[in-house]
Structures are given as C-alpha cells and as structure tokens.
Amino acid sequence: MTEWGFAQLLSHDILNESSNGYLVDDTCVFGVEVFVIKGTCRGENLSMVNQPQPNYFTWRIDDYSALKDEVYLSEQFIVEGRRWLQPLSLYFEYGKLRLEPEGGGAGANKYLSIYLCLDDDLESLPPNRKLYSKYKVRIRNQINNNHLEKTAEYWFSDSVTYGFPKFLSKIDLQDTSQDYLIDDGLFIEYKIDVKSVVKDFSSN
C-alpha cells in the first residue's frame, strides 16, 4: 500500500465543538507518530508434482563383464522434455544414474550399487534449496516381467547422490535363471513418481 489512513477519524460535530479543544481560533493541528516494527518471518515454498515421468528411462550396458572402472555414469535423462537442473525451479528434470559394478559402501565387493545423482557439473545445491524425489530403479528381467525393482525417496540438500549400495548381489546377477544378464548385456531403468522443489525463505 502506498497510503493508509482513517476515512472516519473524527465527526464534524465533535471537531467543531469548542469545548473539545480540537478547533481553536479556527486552527486545527494534525500530527502523526510512526512506529517501525521489525518483524521476522520464516517459511518454505513447496512445489510438488505427482507422476511427472510417465515412462522409464532405460540405460543399456553392453559387455558388462568387461567393465573395469569403479564408477560408471549414464547419459543425462530428461523428464517431460525439460532438463533436470535448469532452470533452478526444475531441478529434477534431468539427472544421471551412477553404477558401481563392484559395489560401494556397505555393498563393497559383494553387490552391484546403483545411485541417483545430480548433474556432475555441480558440486552442491544452491543455498536454501532442498529437492525431494520419490523414484524407482530396476534391473530388467530380459525374458519376462519379473524385474528387480526398488523404490526410494530422499530430500537432496547437501548431498547430491543417493541410492542403493546393495541393489543386487553379484551372485544373483550371474545367476542365469534370473535373466538379468543376457549376452553380457544389462538394462537398468529409472522412473520418477513424485518430485518437488523446496525453497526456504525469510524476511527481516
């Protein structure tokens, strides 16, 4: 508001009554006293989108037995035709999957580890930003629909990587009856079910 006041501050009858002392010698004095109050406010702005990704992103890995590095990253995947990290309000529009064939953390040497990660060009999130994602990761059964699927939900803040250190044991991966690894090819699939961007705000 550029102006604020009282449409009915004082009636003419009261103003003109001399005994009230408002009008003396046809003179009236107006004054104002201003109080400045310093207020504080904290809150969050939450943007939530349900089912933002209708289909699975598929990462095909050929010659799996020839993988020698500790970490492999998929190509960027795109949700709803928009990139995951640009602009800032659409962080979960694209990202990458991280594969550790020999496992990491609690799954080291015994499991295949799979993680969801933000773009590797960024080391951290902008200040006052948190990103929520509920997502599915699965290894496709290449013969039938008996896929190995896991669901995770996570608030990304300081960390930009989250997932499953024990996604699939190396023994089960090599088990031919599971049909995960055929002709030395592996299919990893990913789908976002719910995503949100939360921005903390404050005013003083």
Side-chain angles (χ1 to χ4, degrees), residues 108-123:
N109 302 318
K110 294 183 178 181
Y111 289 84
L112 178 152
S113 301
I114 301 176
Y115 304 91
L116 168 65
C117 57
L118 303 184
D119 187 83
D120 55 339
D121 292 333
L122 295 182
E123 296 180 355

Side-chain angles (χ1 to χ4, degrees), residues 19-73:
S19 62
N20 291 325
Y22 295 122
L23 192 62
V24 178
D25 296 331
D26 205 26
T27 300
C28 185
V29 178
F30 295 89
V32 61
E33 186 173 2
V34 178
F35 297 91
V36 178
I37 300 176
K38 184 178 181 180
T40 60
C41 177
R42 294 193 60 83
E44 291 183 338
N45 181 19
L46 171 65
S47 300
M48 182 74 76
V49 178
N50 292 316
Q51 297 180 338
Q53 182 183 354
N55 301 311
Y56 279 85
F57 162 78
T58 300
W59 182 15
R60 175 176 175 174
I61 303 173
D62 296 318
D63 300 322
Y64 184 85
S65 61
L67 300 182
K68 303 299 181 183
D69 294 338
E70 293 183 359
V71 175
Y72 292 86
L73 294 175

